[in-house]
Amino acid sequence: MSLFELSRTAKAAGFLTHSISGKLQGMELPRLPRFKRASTVAPIQLTARDQEIIELIHRYRFLRSSHVVALIGTSAQHLQRRLQLLYHHGYLTRPRAQLDYYHKGGSRPIIYGLGNKGATLFRNTGSVAYHNLDWNEKNSSTGRIFLEHALLVSDIMVQLELACRKHGQIRLLAEGQIPLPESTRLQRQPFRWKVKAGGGLSLSVIPDRVFALEFLTKAGKKEQAFFFLEADRGTMPVIRKNFSQTSFYRKLRAYEATWSQSLHRRRFGFNRFRVLTVTTSAARVKSLVDACSQLKRGHGLFLFADRTILEKPGDILSSLWLTGKKGETATLLN
């Protein structure tokens, strides 16, 4: 029996106390490398909890260990130990780009992505493009800019999921849970589309995430509110003179055109939708709202907030967001 298994068994039998940390009956537990898989590691037998961890990281793409602890809601020490073993056994990866954070000093939660062994768990579901894809390398070698953007998306979605659980009467639907017309559902990328925005220009739309909030109205009727998420790290110009160049205003125009042409009804079966944008600062929010006010119509489609909305003790569902109409606010359920 390995030291890890012996420790776990002894704890379950009541022979060890919580004061033992990193030692077992006077023997030091081996310290595993942080960003290189160990050649020898304690054996592991996947549990239902392990599979829940892997499924969460598959769904979110990248999660901090603190995200996993918040979502699963059990001992942080135990979960971090399991995450460590799942990494060293190849079920998870640790993106190398996060090394930059540790070189700056201080302590940060480790970031995890899906590994090859983790991907095999979804091989028969069609939810992971498994064939000819090295998930270990794909997620380990992710660049810092992409990783930081993906983590902002995860920050937002984790807060939404926790808020829905806390509320108890609202269900968060991820992309794969949203009912779609068959013609759209069978497409390789159902939430990627093109729309004509005038002047012969066709714009591509790829939201950072698509989700729905399902709840009961006062009359007891089930309703779903649909959202396209944009996680804005402030790196994209807000407006450019040349509309053919990438800008956030161009994204706003694409969503406005989608709504004006009722493309959301035909493609997704949505009666309505909103575009949720979380950005870096209050000043950036103001710039985005100013740009949104230049649209001819559809200002109420858009909700804006800076990332402090993720740090407030209040519920993200009841927090006020700025709309595209200057001075107006709304909650996600308005």
Side-chain angles (χ1 to χ4, degrees), residues 268-329:
F268 307 118
F270 299 171
N271 287 325
R272 61 192 295 261
F273 69 88
R274 292 190 113 164
V275 181
L276 199 67
T277 301
V278 178
T279 189
T280 52
S281 66
R284 178 74 174 184
V285 168
K286 182 179 184 304
S287 297
L288 298 181
V289 172
D290 288 344
C292 191
S293 68
Q294 298 185 29
L295 298 175
K296 293 182 179 180
R297 53 190 304 201
H299 306 93
L301 295 174
F302 302 95
L303 297 178
F304 301 92
D306 65 66
R307 64 173 306 139
T308 59
I309 203 167
L310 307 175
E311 302 164 2
K312 295 178 181 178
D315 191 338
I316 191 173
L317 298 174
S318 59
S319 296
L320 292 177
W321 300 66
L322 290 176
T323 74
K325 297 179 181 179
K326 288 186 178 181
E328 287 193 5
T329 59

Side-chain angles (χ1 to χ4, degrees), residues 101 143-156 207-209 229-233 235 251:
Y101 306 146
R144 182 176 57 83
I145 293 175
F146 180 88
L147 181 62
E148 290 179 353
H149 179 266
L151 286 171
L152 177 55
V153 174
S154 293
D155 287 340
I156 300 163
D208 289 325
R209 197 60 61 93
L229 174 66
E230 293 291 337
D232 174 60
R233 294 185 53 252
T235 56
K251 283 189 177 185

Side-chain angles (χ1 to χ4, degrees), residues 4 51 61 155 242 244 249-250 269 297:
F4 173 77
Q51 294 185 49
R61 180 66 191 276
D155 287 340
N242 187 346
S244 65
Y249 177 69
R250 182 171 143 138
R297 53 190 304 201

Side-chain angles (χ1 to χ4, degrees), residues 18 35 49 147 157 161 188 216 265:
H18 66 278
F35 294 103
R49 179 61 52 80
L147 181 62
M157 296 305 300
E161 183 162 347
R188 184 171 176 270
L216 293 178
R265 297 177 187 269

Side-chain angles (χ1 to χ4, degrees), residues 152-169:
L152 177 55
V153 174
S154 293
D155 287 340
I156 300 163
M157 296 305 300
V158 168
Q159 286 298 323
L160 283 167
E161 183 162 347
L162 294 174
C164 287
R165 293 181 187 179
K166 178 183 175 182
H167 189 282
Q169 301 299 316

Side-chain angles (χ1 to χ4, degrees), residues 66 97 104 136 155 158 211 229 236 245 289 312:
S66 55
K104 296 176 183 178
N136 288 337
D155 287 340
V158 168
F211 67 93
L229 174 66
M236 178 182 290
Q245 294 179 305
V289 172
K312 295 178 181 178

